[in-house]
Structures are given as structure tokens and as C-alpha cells.
């Protein structure tokens, strides 16, 4: 089957999902990110790799944090960045998504960074660009519905590789609302491709997707079981809207059962690292003792995230 | 009478309207745009013509699309672009429009791109700048009320010239809500100046301004009459707010009478081009068969629009 | 006591308040601003002093005017500027202020320009950066609650020095709602440090803070008394929300008692200058005859403000 992320030569041409992303492409992205990490530490944090390119941040769903990381990454590559507040724009005037895209392509856009509440929207754009023969325009999925958030998945892989080197001996526990999490899905696909020893999905029955076991993931409803001897613990953000709905009794109850406290973390391996995609709900899914503790690598994740996004944009632009 | 757009030497110093814009100035803008068109196709889409200049996008009326085109044009000229969300700014705190302008001039603004719901607002600003002796600060009207949208008018002229070369033998049909359209007004003035053979205004009685015939325009209430043997068809966007008001029975009724379908378009000349300022209401003023058909030049209009805006800014800045 | 604005060598490392700012540091900022003033008059208004640096505008309270001045200043220093609309971002998702800061620091922020409705928020951020050992990241207070607005205070000092040279013989009258004004507080501290002859606080009892006399300021409830023989008159903006509250009978009543008219201004010295931080309420705190008159230096304040902000950012970045 045709992989819409790769061109005929097997090179990355869009980043839509970690699902179907070959191991060597993931490795290429992580290696490239490694070289960019050094740039962010320089006095002049810029390289001219995307000079004169127009990168459009198309956020159909508001996310200041994620938009900011892409804006910084693009500016450090010297691109011109245009932020489109799409909720207030022509789509609100009845224009279709693809008419908006066609218009921006006609303005000589080079890259779209797309966040959308609907799963599959970045695919739709990619297919359309392919149909109209614009293979020189690239799409980066910055999160679509419950489907995928591949740059977050890749920065998580970067983080794990940075601290643990090899994936094969690792036990990775992903804890929380996996059902609604595009981060979890992107992590599971990438971890699987990279040959992770054991992947665990830890959470209440109501927040685990029924199909997760078919992805080769071990399901744990008990947090202690899920954490025992883990090398990596990935905590997921509990969306506010879940907290007082039908799926969960309350935030307090959730913390009692699935909140990561220092005592619970002690069940994992002593050198286990704790990750979180942010923004954190302290006292809901994670205790401050852990969030600010020695095992947390949550802020390094953010730093690696800029480098990974620079790497993805740079590779897509043909560098 | 003094033309506020030109200086004593007859050079463009503000772009406020296509009304009163001399033929040689229009031609200068279109010729300059032609040279910029090539830049947008380059790998590095930038020229340093406005480096170190401060361009302020002053959008008193929200329009993400138009603001984006000016932002791209200015950035490709290497200007520093400041977007002011004026609806949320000091004017909301009771400051007058001219106090806001004075303040931005005091910050060493070089150019204002102004969109305003009130007809004449850019003129008011221009007169004020003249009064305070700041002839080095330039104003571009990005749409004022029902009055004018000169860069849209000029990009329409660019498009027609690109496909049809000479204006004198042409029949141009402008179809739709001409009463409320600043685009139609800017097109009619420019087409007239460029010596267009016949200009037709096509639409229901309620949406045609009574004074349009005095502008040398032939009025047609029947779409078939209006399209017959036309070389150029300019469709106008039907504003949502007109659709269920007193002026029109309904969007469906409008489409039946004035929507451009392939069958209707067949009445025009076989090599007729179809234009639209966007965003389109598919199935209201234009059928998808036409919008996506071989005669549509709607996306090239967008591409030409960037080049025309670069040309206007570059000429105003003295290049 | 430790001054959080200065490092061990006594150099400016954050700008939080004019309170506690040594005279030589104020003088250094004003002298540096003087050299930047000339840059804004150049054809290419840019210097590469902050090239490759990432400046974050963190406006927890909306202020288009102030944000714009910092954005212009940073861009003229060639910095990459990221505007964060914090009211719509992660803090709205329950993230703490300091988690937001930690995240941006992890993205390699070099400078934060912070506007916050709560007094002390920029201090909180500064202390946190100190605690986590990030002395390479700098904070500029762009207005916090009723507490301080140091760049406004400094540009006011620049303006006074520009027109009056020496502070010691001057009588400076600050007129209006001093109780709620961070500008007044920043002015009073700076004027005191610079050895101003006499500082007067002029306004109704309800709008003067009870502690103002302990700051060495002479209180005047009568406008004529306050203006008599003044060299400098600083008018404060009357916030709309005060005008029909319990503190004031009405805007009209306020203007009758404290509005600066040409007749009242005649009580000051003939060469007195009139200042206002903007945006002005014409006909409320100031008459148009004064605002547009020969003694007003309100627009030069704006020009000096850009130079002062460039100076502050440049000094903080180590130039």
C-alpha cells in the first residue's frame, strides 16, 4: 500500500503519523535533531536552512503551546512564519478546508503545520496536494483529533533514546487516558517500530481503547502492576473535560488510583525516567514530588521537542 | 483637483482607490508585479527592498485572508511586519483613530495597511499624515467599507492582462452583489481607465447601485444577457448576511437566477476566463463545475495578488 | 538587602521596577537609549545586537500598545519575537505560571517581557529563574498590577532629561488617578533617585494613595495649586472603569476639576512640558487644546519609548 508520508524514493515528504513510519526514517529524524540541539545552545540560535521559505501554522484547534514550539523551530531555521488564526478566518465565512489550502498554496506556501480537531484532516490535505500535483508543499501533523501527534511521539522517542540508548531491553508504561490520547497512539507506534521490549497501557477500563491489545500492548488496570520494574513512565494529561463526566468519578478519585506519587514511582526501576507531554495537572495525574523530582525528564522533553521539530521541517524541506 | 494618492511629481505615494489612478501608474504597478512574480517561484523567496522598514497591518475589520496576503508580501520584501489586532487595542479604550496613527508614526512606522468598515477611513489617515507633514509614511487601503479595495482591483487587472493582453476589445461581466461590493467598484474604475471595450454589471435590481450606469457600465438583470459573448466573468462573493435578508429571497433562489453553472458559462466566449475574489460560496454564486473548471483563474488571481501587493509596497517605499 | 534586578557586579540583569534602581544604572539606560534613537531614523532601522535571541512577549493582561512597542524594539534589535496570547494558552488549561515559564526556558528563551494584572508576577518569575540557576534568562516588567511600569518610568525620565537637562531644579506635577497608577509609582521612584527638586501628586483625595507623602511627594488636592510654576506636568490616564464608580462622580465632573485645559496650564511655567503615557481620554483628563498644543511632548515620549526599550533589552542581553 502507498505510504502517503514517503515519496517514491522512500524519503519523508509529509509527517502525518508515527504509524507506518519506517525505522530508518525515525532514526534519521532523531539523528538530525541531535545536530540541531546544539544550535539552540549557541549565542545566535539560527541556521539559514529554511531562509525564504513560507511556513504556515494552520491551527484549526487552538494550542498556544504547540504553535509556539513550531514557530520557534521554524524561526530558528530562518523561515518566514505566518500564524493563521483559522477559527476567525475564511473557513468561518463558509469556505471549505481545501479551498483555504488551495489559496495558501497559490500564495507559494512551502509547508503547512496543521492542528485540527478532526482525525484525518492532515491526510485530507496531503491527498489533495498530491491530486493537484503540488508535491513540493509539505504537511506536518501537529495533532489531529484522537488520531496522531507524531512530533510529540518522536520527541518522546528522542528523550528515551537520550537517556536509555537501546529500546529493546526497555519496559515502557504509558499511564492515563489512553482512549482520548493521540500522544499515546503516536508513542505506541513508534515504540513498536523501534523494537521496545514491553509496552504497557495503564489506566481505568473506561479510558483504555478496546483495540489496544491488538497493538501488542499489555493492558494493566492497576497502577502498581503497570509501574513495576518499568524503565520509562509516560504520564498522560487528564483533560479537564473528562474529570467530572461519566468516564471518571472525580479528579481526586483519579489521583488516588492513577496519580503518580513518589511512593508509586518507587515500584519502577530506580533509574526509571518520568515523562509528560504537558501541560501538567499537578495533583491530578502527577504529584509535584515526582514532577519536580530527580527522575522527571519533562523539561528536557520540551528542549528536545524544538530540535525534533527543526529536524522534521529541515528534512521535509530537502536538507 | 489634488489627487491624494500622488505626490507633486505624479508618483504614487498612497494607494487608496483605483478611482483617479492614472493609466501609467496602473501600468507601472502591473509591470513591477510581473518582475516580482518570479521571486515567489525562487527557492529563497525574499528580496531586501524593504529591509529595516516597519509595516503595520491595521485591521479595524477582521480579515485573515487579506491580512495574510499583505503579511506575506511584506515579509518577502524583508520588512518587519507588525500585526495590530485593533479591535482589541487602544481604540477600544476610547482613543481616537488619529491618536492611534500619531502614536504609530511616533514609533517610526513606514507604511500602514488599513482595513476599515467605514468608507474613507484610509483617506482620513492620509489627510492627517499630510497635515502633520509626514509625507514619508505611506497608506495602502486594504478595503474600506463599500468604497474601495484597490489591491484587489489591481490584481484583477493583472489577471485580465495576463490572459487577454489588451483591454480595448474585451467585454467584462461583473456578476452579483455589486451594491455592497468594494471589489466591483475598484474593478470598474480600473477597467474604465484601461479602456475596456464593454463593462457589464449583472445582478438583481436590489443588488445594483442606481448610479452604476453613470459609470459607463451596461446594466443587465438577466444573467444570460450579461454573460453572452463575454471575455471575462468576474463573480462576486455573496455575503452571508444578504442571503436571508430583505434584498434576496434565499441562497437557493439566488443560485437559480445568478449562480454561474457550466451551462450558463457556455453563453460566454469559449475562451472566457472566470474570476472570483474569494472566499467562494460554492453552490451560492458559483457552481463547483465552474470553480474547478478549465476556465477558472481564481487561484492564479491569488498568486498574482501577492506580486501586486509586493509591487505596491515596493513602489510606495521608493524603489 | 539583595537587589533582584542587579547581579553581583551591580549590572542590570532584570528590569522589574524603578524602585531600587541605582542612579548610574538609570543614566546608563538613558545614555544607551540616546544612541538607539538615531537608529530609528535610519533607512534600515535595524541593528544585529539580539540576532538569534528569542524574546517572548508574555502578556497575561492584554495591551496591544505596550506589546507593540516591545515587539518593534526587539525586531529592530534583530531578535526573534514570539507573542504569546497567554489568556488563551496553557495557563487557561490549569498549568501554573511557573510551569509555563519552565517550559519556555526549556525552549531556550532569552528574555521574557511580562505584563500581568497581579503586582509582583515578574518578581515571582525572576526569583524562580534564580532558584533554578538560569541567570542567563532576563525579565522585563511591562506593567504589573498597580505596582510598576518601569520602561514607562524610564521613558518619562528620558523625555524630561531631553527637554530640561538637569532634574535638581525641576518641579514635576503628576496629575490624576495616582492611586491606581503603576506609571505614577515608577515615575516617583525614578524622579526621586534622579534628585528632582519637587514632586507633586495632584488629584482628588479618593485617587491619591495615603502613603504617597512618605515617598517625599507633596500632595495637592487642588489642580491650580499643583500646576503653579511646574516645569513638567505628567497627566495620567483616567481608567474608564473609575469614571462611573464610587470614587468619582462622573467624567464631566472630573474634567471640570482635574482636566488640563490651556487656561489651567497657563499656571505652570511658560516653558513647562506636558506628558501623558497614553492612550489619552480627550475631554476627560486632558483638553485637546493642550494635547495638540505646543507644550505637549506626548508623541516624542512614544519615540523615546522605543529607544528606551531597545536600550533595556540590549543592556540585559549583555551588550
Amino acid at each position: 500500500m502507498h505510504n502517503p508520508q514517503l515519496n517514491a524514493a522512500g524519503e519523508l515528504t509529509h509527517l502525518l503519523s508515527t504509524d507506518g513510519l519506517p525505522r530508518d526514517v525515525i532514526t534519521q529524524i532523531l539523528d538530525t535533531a541531535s545536530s540541531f540541539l546544539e544550535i539552540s545552545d549557541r549565542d545566535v540560535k539560527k541556521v539559514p536552512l529554511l531562509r525564504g521559505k513560507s511556513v504556515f501554522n494552520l491551527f484549526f484547534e487552538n494550542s498556544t503551546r504547540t504553535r509556539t514550539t513550531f514557530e520557534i523551530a521554524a524561526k530558528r531555521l530562518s523561515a518566514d512564519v505566518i500564524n493563521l488564526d483559522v477559527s476567525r478566518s475564511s473557513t468561518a465565512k463558509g469556505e471549505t478546508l481545501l479551498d483555504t489550502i488551495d489559496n495558501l498554496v497559490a500564495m507559494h506556501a512551502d509547508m503547512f503545520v496543521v492542528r485540527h480537531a478532526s482525525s484525518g484532516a492532515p491526510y485530507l490535505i496531503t491527498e489533495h496536494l498530491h491530486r493537484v500535483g503540488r508535491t513540493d508543499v509539505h504537511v506536518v501533523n501537529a495533532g489531529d483529533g484522537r488520531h496522531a501527534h507524531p512530533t510529540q511521539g518522536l520527541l518522546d522517542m528522542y528523550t528515551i533514546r537520550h537517556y536509555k540508548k537501546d529500546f529493546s531491553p526497555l519496559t515502557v508504561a504509558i499511564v492515563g487516558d489512553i482512549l482520548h490520547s493521540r500522544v499515546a497512539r503516536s508513542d505506541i507506534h513508534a515504540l513498536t517500530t523501534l523494537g521496545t521490549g514491553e509496552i504497557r497501557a495503564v489506566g481505568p477500563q473506561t479510558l483504555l481503547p478496546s483495540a489496544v491489545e491488538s497493538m501488542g500492548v499489555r493492558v494493566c488496570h492497576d497502577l502498581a502492576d503497570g509501574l513495576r520494574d518499568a524503565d520509562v513512565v509516560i504520564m498522560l494529561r487528564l483533560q479537564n473535560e473528562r474529570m467530572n463526566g461519566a468516564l471518571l468519578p472525580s479528579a481526586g478519585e483519579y489521583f488516588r488510583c492513577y496519580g503518580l506519587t513518589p511512593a508509586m514511582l518507587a515500584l519502577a526501576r530506580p533509574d526509571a525516567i518520568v515523562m509528560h507531554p504537558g501541560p501538567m495537572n499537578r495533583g491530578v495525574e502527577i504529584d509535584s514530588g515526582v514532577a519536580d523530582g530527580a527522575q522527571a525528564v519533562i523539561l528536557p522533553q520540551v528542549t528536545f521537542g524544538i530540535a525534533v521539530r527543526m529536524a522534521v521541517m529541515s528534512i521535509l524541506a530537502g536538507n
Side-chain angles (χ1 to χ4, degrees), chain A residues 265-312:
Chain A
L265 180 57
L267 296 169
R269 288 177 55 102
D271 62 350
I273 56 172
V274 176
M275 297 163 60
H276 191 294
M280 289 189 283
N281 289 304
R282 290 166 178 266
V284 178
E285 73 264 0
I286 192 165
D287 185 84
S288 281
V290 174
D292 304 326
Q295 289 172 267
V297 297
I298 296 166
L299 293 173
Q301 280 179 277
V302 175
T303 303
F304 299 151
I306 301 289
V308 164
R309 287 173 179 122
M310 289 174 76
V312 168

Side-chain angles (χ1 to χ4, degrees), chain A residues 190-201:
Chain A
L191 287 166
T192 303
T193 301
L194 294 172
T196 306
E198 181 175 326
I199 309 171
R200 298 178 189 162

Side-chain angles (χ1 to χ4, degrees), chain A residues 49-50 53 111 138 312-319:
Chain A
L49 290 170
L50 262 70
K53 304 281 184 197
M111 204 175 290
H138 308 284
V312 168
M313 290 180 170
S314 171
I315 291 169
L316 291 177
N319 297 304

Side-chain angles (χ1 to χ4, degrees), chain A residues 170-176 178 188 191 196-203 208 212 216-220 222-234 267-268:
Chain A
L170 297 183
T171 295
V172 177
I174 305 174
V175 181
I178 290 162
I188 291 169
L191 287 166
T196 306
E198 181 175 326
I199 309 171
R200 298 178 189 162
V202 187
L208 290 187
V212 75
V217 171
R218 200 186 123 197
V219 167
C220 305
D222 182 71
L223 180 61
D225 282 355
L227 293 174
R228 194 158 291 123
D229 297 324
D231 299 282
V232 175
V233 182
I234 300 176
L267 296 169

Side-chain angles (χ1 to χ4, degrees), chain A residues 9 135 155 178 230 270:
Chain A
T135 52
L155 78 86
I178 290 162

Side-chain angles (χ1 to χ4, degrees), chain A residues 40 57 60 69 76 80-81 121 163 168 193 205 225 240 289 299:
Chain A
S40 289
N57 278 329
F60 295 88
T69 60
R76 291 197 182 147
D80 284 332
V81 183
Y163 289 102
S168 56
T193 301
Q205 184 92 50
D225 282 355
N240 294 322
L299 293 173

